[in-house]
Amino acid sequence: MKSIGFIPLRKDSKGIKGKNKRKLLGRPLFSWVLTEAAFSDLDEVFVYTDDDDIIEFITQQYSWNSKIKVLKRSAESATDEASTETAILEFSEKVSYGFDVFCLLQATSPFTTRIEINKALEEIKSGMDSALSVVRTQRFFWDKNGKPINYDFRERPRRQDFKGTLVENGAIYCTTKAALQKSKCRISGDIGLIEMPEDSYTEIDSVPDWNIVENLLLQRLQSERNPSRITHLFLDVDGIFTDGRVLYSGNGELAKSFDMRDGMGLEILRQDNIEVSVMTSENSALVAARMKKLNIDKVYLGVKDKLGMLKHLSLTQNINLNNIAYLGDDVNDMACMASVGWSICPNNGMEEIKRISDINLTSDSGSGAIREACRFITKYNKRFERI
């Protein structure tokens, strides 16, 4: 039974300009649900968009997962007036309904994980025609006529005794092909429910929503960590190996400045069987040459969605995120730093990164920061092994 994920993205947005591409904890909004879908039991995941920038980004950044595909959406299905069902049906016709289960995933719900996606698929496999995600709220609802909807105000229940009400959170809608063809709707027939955590109720429709979701998402990532012995160190390059400055000539990038002492610190870590990897958004021949000189084999260049790549490596190389230390300095490192066992920032890192970092070094980048981080890792592992 072939199941596909469907993520519709429009180029324009009234509430927040360029919302789908805007960085949430340093990565594009749409990437949060896209990578979780790619790691789920879905057979294929389609991004359906009229935005050429998103098409180019996905084509370049997600070659590591063959599930992820992108199709151009028509202008007619991407207007403010067009419904999501319009895009769903247009897409389904384009792929000739080549699926058994269709799963609509909303990019404005970045709390969605592969766990909930798989639960929705299980509902369909169990015989349901459709399934959707909900959250449980313990708010008391009233209609416009002053009538209570979900409780008796004369016997007001205590919060701990009140089961609450289930509300759609707009994250996941799954349906069989037969049900979709018959109803022309994202859900129909016998409908199963997938309960998600209450924080997933907030969708992003305005700037205040964005700020709330970003804080909630950061708290969730950090709360899921359980720091353990460090077995892997991941490093950014510019602002970590270097002071962030680069010399350019008329022919492009000319030179970067590296601290020779950092290489010795990394060599000591490797002698302690700690694997060192480099991940940078830049695609630099200078960086490649320097990492070769340092005998660092695992170098990932041109990575714009670092958390997506980190999770991919975690799954394919059997690396527990809790065993990773990540050394970063800017917002594109934020999601990774919030997800790993230990996050480390140089003294001259960005303030928003220093606020979330576990260890703020006393040394600046390109001037002993990596060597200081290596000393911390060595001392921490020795303390951890004595516990």
Side-chain angles (χ1 to χ4, degrees):
M1 191 162 65
K2 182 179 180 180
S3 59
I4 68 164
F6 175 76
I7 304 173
L9 303 176
R10 292 195 300 120
K11 184 176 182 179
D12 298 318
S13 173
K14 283 186 175 180
I16 302 175
K17 187 174 178 60
K19 175 173 64 177
N20 289 316
K21 295 182 288 188
R22 182 169 170 165
K23 300 294 179 65
L24 183 72
L25 295 184
R27 61 196 302 235
L29 173 61
F30 70 82
S31 66
W32 289 93
V33 68
L34 175 59
T35 51
E36 286 300 311
F39 298 139
S40 76
D41 293 336
L42 289 165
D43 295 306
E44 291 180 316
V45 183
F46 288 88
V47 174
Y48 196 51
T49 182
D50 62 330
D51 193 322
D52 291 332
D53 290 339
I54 291 177
I55 292 173
E56 181 180 4
F57 186 94
I58 291 173
T59 302
Q60 292 178 351
Q61 291 297 311
Y62 297 110
S63 58
W64 47 262
N65 194 298
S66 59
K67 283 186 183 182
I68 299 175
K69 298 173 171 57
V70 60
L71 282 180
K72 188 68 177 283
R73 180 175 178 173
S74 74
E76 293 76 21
S77 71
T79 64
D80 290 334
E81 294 75 26
S83 66
T84 301
E85 265 68 19
T86 300
I88 290 172
L89 297 174
E90 178 183 82
F91 165 83
S92 298
E93 291 289 345
K94 271 189 180 181
V95 298
S96 304
Y97 284 88
F99 52 82
D100 300 296
V101 179
F102 180 93
C103 191
L104 167 64
L105 303 168
Q106 303 276 42
T108 49
S109 299
F111 296 101
T112 303
T113 72
R114 70 200 80 169
I115 295 171
E116 289 96 16
I117 295 171
N118 290 343
K119 285 181 179 179
L121 295 176
E122 286 299 321
E123 287 292 314
I124 302 297
K125 289 179 182 177
S126 71
M128 291 294 181
D129 298 304
S130 304
L132 77 154
S133 58
V134 296
V135 297
R136 187 176 299 276
T137 177
Q138 291 181 301
R139 302 278 184 170
F140 297 132
F141 294 106
W142 292 71
D143 66 21
K144 64 179 181 179
N145 298 314
K147 303 293 184 183
I149 295 174
N150 64 339
Y151 85 114
D152 183 348
F153 64 85
R154 290 162 298 194
E155 298 181 10
R156 192 180 191 90
R158 298 183 306 166
R159 182 178 177 85
Q160 59 266 38
D161 298 327
F162 183 51
K163 293 183 178 180
T165 302
L166 297 176
V167 185
E168 284 188 41
N169 66 350
I172 304 171
Y173 299 90
C174 260
T175 183
T176 64
K177 177 173 71 173
L180 177 62
Q181 288 178 315
K182 182 178 179 180
S183 68
K184 311 297 183 187
C185 183
R186 69 187 77 179
I187 50 173
S188 61
D190 293 327
I191 302 173
L193 301 178
I194 307 302
E195 193 167 339
M196 290 178 62
E198 191 173 1
D199 59 7
S200 67
Y201 182 64
T202 306
E203 290 187 87
I204 300 176
D205 294 316
S206 65
V207 172
D209 293 337
W210 187 280
N211 296 333
I212 291 170
V213 166
E214 190 161 51
N215 286 328
L216 289 172
L217 194 55
L218 177 61
Q219 291 172 22
R220 178 190 278 200
L221 292 176
Q222 292 182 316
S223 70
E224 292 173 348
R225 302 184 310 156
N226 182 23
S228 301
R229 185 184 187 280
I230 297 171
T231 60
H232 292 72
L233 172 64
F234 278 78
L235 305 103
D236 185 20
V237 176
D238 290 322
I240 299 298
F241 278 92
T242 76
D243 60 7
R245 293 180 293 180
V246 60
L247 297 178
Y248 276 92
S249 71
N251 296 322
E253 189 176 68
L254 183 62
K256 295 175 185 283
S257 176
F258 295 89
D259 189 332
M260 297 298 290
R261 293 169 296 178
D262 290 340
M264 180 57 68
L266 296 174
E267 179 60 29
I268 292 170
L269 288 188
R270 284 198 294 270
Q271 290 175 3
D272 289 339
N273 295 316
I274 296 171
E275 187 171 274
V276 177
S277 300
V278 167
M279 187 185 299
T280 174
S281 60
E282 299 299 318
N283 202 341
S284 167
L286 288 176
V287 170
R290 178 58 180 157
M291 297 310 134
K292 184 176 181 180
K293 180 72 173 177
L294 292 172
N295 295 316
I296 299 175
D297 298 324
K298 298 197 173 182
V299 180
Y300 306 96
L301 304 175
V303 181
K304 305 295 184 184
D305 178 12
K306 292 186 176 183
L307 183 60
M309 175 61 80
L310 188 66
K311 286 191 172 183
H312 165 69
L313 296 174
S314 172
L315 289 170
T316 57
Q317 298 182 17
N318 195 28
I319 307 170
N320 189 321
L321 292 179
N322 290 314
N323 296 124
I324 294 175
Y326 189 104
L327 182 49
D329 73 306
D330 212 337
V331 291
N332 61 340
D333 300 307
M334 187 176 288
C336 288
M337 295 177 73
S339 302
V340 299
W342 283 96
S343 58
I344 308 172
C345 180
N347 182 59
N348 58 340
M350 298 303 294
E351 285 302 317
E352 51 265 60
I353 297 300
K354 294 174 83 169
R355 282 197 298 270
I356 71 160
S357 179
D358 298 312
I359 302 294
N360 289 318
L361 303 171
T362 59
S363 304
D364 286 349
S365 60
S367 186
I370 293 178
R371 189 66 182 268
E372 184 181 343
C374 292
R375 285 197 296 269
F376 161 76
I377 292 170
T378 299
K379 290 179 180 179
Y380 168 75
N381 277 350
K382 286 180 180 178
R383 290 198 305 270
F384 185 86
E385 289 163 359
R386 288 198 297 266
I387 297 176

